[in-house]
Amino acid sequence: MTENTPKALVAEFIGTFCFFFIGAGAIVTDAFIVSRGGDGPGLVAIALAHGLALAIMVTALGHISGGHFNPAVTVAAFVGRQIDMLHGVLYIVAQLVAAVLAGFTLRAVFPTEVWQPVNLGTPAVADGISFGTAVLIEAILTFILVIVIFGTAMDPRAAKVGGFAIGLTIAADILIGGPLTGASMNPARTFGPAVAANFWDNHFVYWIGPLCGAILAGLVYGWYLMGAKQDEEPAGTL
């Protein structure tokens, strides 16, 4: 570890908490509005909430920690030789703790009758979607997300656009995958509210799919598209 490690872990914690509080919170807010007889903002607003929250957090904190906020991204960074194992494990612990705190904070904010039907915004597999299909959907969506992260944040040749492209990718993925699997793309995004809501249906979908998609993206971009710049200090690490 280096003297920057604690700062990076704090950045990962804050970014993950804010991302999930706003993203999952948008789902519960939608349920809150509907429970009061209104028309909820729906899929587009939920996708934008996730995308905007991530874009803001990556832009604000990415220069400190790399702005992973996602165990799948951290695993991809390790596979793509952008972070070492020790820092990767510490990042994932910080992300999972922040996710659980975000889940319990949402539980404290909203009445039980509002959050319970949507399980605090925990992603869920839609009726008619098999376990294998759900894993495939999450893997594809995560692959797309991680390729964009490598291409805009980790590759030193890329134009620096802050979190804009990454946030747009999250929003776009949710627009197609939200009604099918919740478009988590992030094991912590599912784990946090699942702990707080005690909702574990198809939980392993949200570990297997994102990790498979992330590992493939890490291999494709980190080992092939990025080339042999690996003698330099890894981008976005400590």
Side-chain angles (χ1 to χ4, degrees):
M1 287 190 284
T2 73
E3 63 181 11
N4 291 325
T5 300
K7 294 178 181 179
L9 295 178
V10 169
E12 283 295 304
F13 182 91
I14 293 172
T16 304
F17 176 88
C18 294
F19 173 32
F20 295 169
F21 181 80
I22 294 173
I27 296 172
V28 188
T29 297
D30 181 80
F32 178 82
I33 294 171
V34 171
S35 72
R36 267 50 177 183
D39 294 326
L43 178 63
V44 173
I46 291 169
L48 286 175
H50 282 82
L52 289 172
L54 184 58
I56 292 166
M57 289 298 106
V58 170
T59 302
L61 300 171
H63 61 287
I64 299 173
S65 69
H68 294 187
F69 314 142
N70 182 342
V73 172
T74 300
V75 169
F78 172 72
V79 170
R81 298 175 289 184
Q82 302 301 299
I83 192 171
D84 62 70
M85 181 176 290
L86 175 59
H87 288 107
V89 170
L90 292 174
Y91 270 39
I92 290 171
V93 171
Q95 293 155 4
L96 291 175
V97 173
V100 172
L101 180 60
F104 277 105
T105 303
L106 288 171
R107 180 168 175 158
V109 168
F110 290 96
T112 302
E113 64 271 17
V114 171
W115 67 254
Q116 203 163 51
V118 293
N119 298 298
L120 290 169
T122 308
V125 177
D127 292 342
I129 303 294
S130 69
F131 183 92
T133 300
V135 167
L136 178 62
I137 292 168
E138 286 291 323
I140 293 171
L141 297 179
T142 307
F143 176 84
I144 296 169
L145 172 64
V146 174
I147 285 291
V148 172
I149 292 171
F150 266 94
T152 61
M154 295 184 182
D155 193 332
R157 302 167 298 181
K160 301 307 178 185
V161 293
F164 181 69
I166 299 169
L168 283 179
T169 305
I170 285 283
D173 278 358
I174 290 174
L175 288 175
I176 184 174
L180 306 177
T181 64
S184 174
M185 301 164 276
N186 186 330
R189 167 65 182 84
T190 303
F191 180 77
V195 171
N198 193 27
F199 177 76
W200 301 101
D201 288 8
N202 294 299
H203 186 73
F204 287 114
V205 164
Y206 302 101
W207 288 87
I208 298 170
L211 290 176
C212 287
I215 289 169
L216 180 59
L219 291 171
V220 170
Y221 207 113
W223 285 80
Y224 180 67
L225 296 179
M226 195 178 291
K229 64 146 207 78
Q230 305 302 334
D231 291 337
E232 304 173 12
E233 182 179 353
T237 62
L238 309 174

